[in-house]
Amino acid sequence: MATEATPRINARYLEQFTNSTVRILGRVTALRGDSATVDANGSVQVHLNRDAHLTLNNAAEIIGKVQPDLSVKVFQAMDFGSNIDFKAVEAVVDATHRYKEIFYNAD
């Protein structure tokens, strides 16, 4: 059984992954009802689901679909707390796209 790849991206890659399911790890910079702003090497607007319980200024991993307006519709969100090395996160995102044949189909 095949599963859909969920490449790790940041704000810089949103346009490239429109209508695709992705993973984004960033810092929650704003919470407004059913939406949030996440700083993932740039600002990402996310539309939360009812199960998302994020904390302002904590890191969060978002799994969701990039919409045509470059916002992300959240399928799953996980609070990662405040002790995250964002330089390491960026290194993983860079490696994901440098060696994309390992992580996702670029077609």
Side-chain angles (χ1 to χ4, degrees):
M1 175 195 261
T3 60
E4 183 177 9
T6 54
R8 292 191 179 277
I9 70 166
N10 57 31
R12 163 172 95 192
Y13 292 100
L14 285 169
E15 192 168 350
Q16 183 179 333
F17 286 91
T18 302
N19 295 316
S20 298
T21 301
V22 298
R23 292 175 183 264
I24 299 172
L25 182 58
R27 184 177 313 281
V28 178
T29 58
L31 289 168
R32 290 176 301 282
D34 64 350
S35 67
T37 304
V38 175
D39 179 7
N41 202 20
S43 186
V44 179
Q45 299 299 315
V46 297
H47 303 286
L48 303 171
N49 60 24
R50 291 179 187 226
D51 297 327
H53 301 289
L54 304 180
T55 302
L56 192 61
N57 296 317
N58 275 6
E61 181 178 60
I62 305 297
I63 300 172
K65 186 173 184 178
V66 180
Q67 303 299 299
D69 66 358
L70 303 184
S71 65
V72 177
K73 180 181 178 185
V74 173
F75 298 147
Q76 184 176 8
M78 181 179 292
D79 189 303
F80 273 31
S82 60
N83 191 19
I84 294 290
D85 180 351
F86 285 103
K87 288 183 182 180
V89 170
E90 285 307 309
V92 170
V93 170
D94 289 343
T96 297
H97 300 285
R98 185 174 302 124
Y99 306 105
K100 58 187 163 197
E101 63 277 1
I102 296 171
F103 297 102
Y104 64 94
N105 185 355
D107 294 335

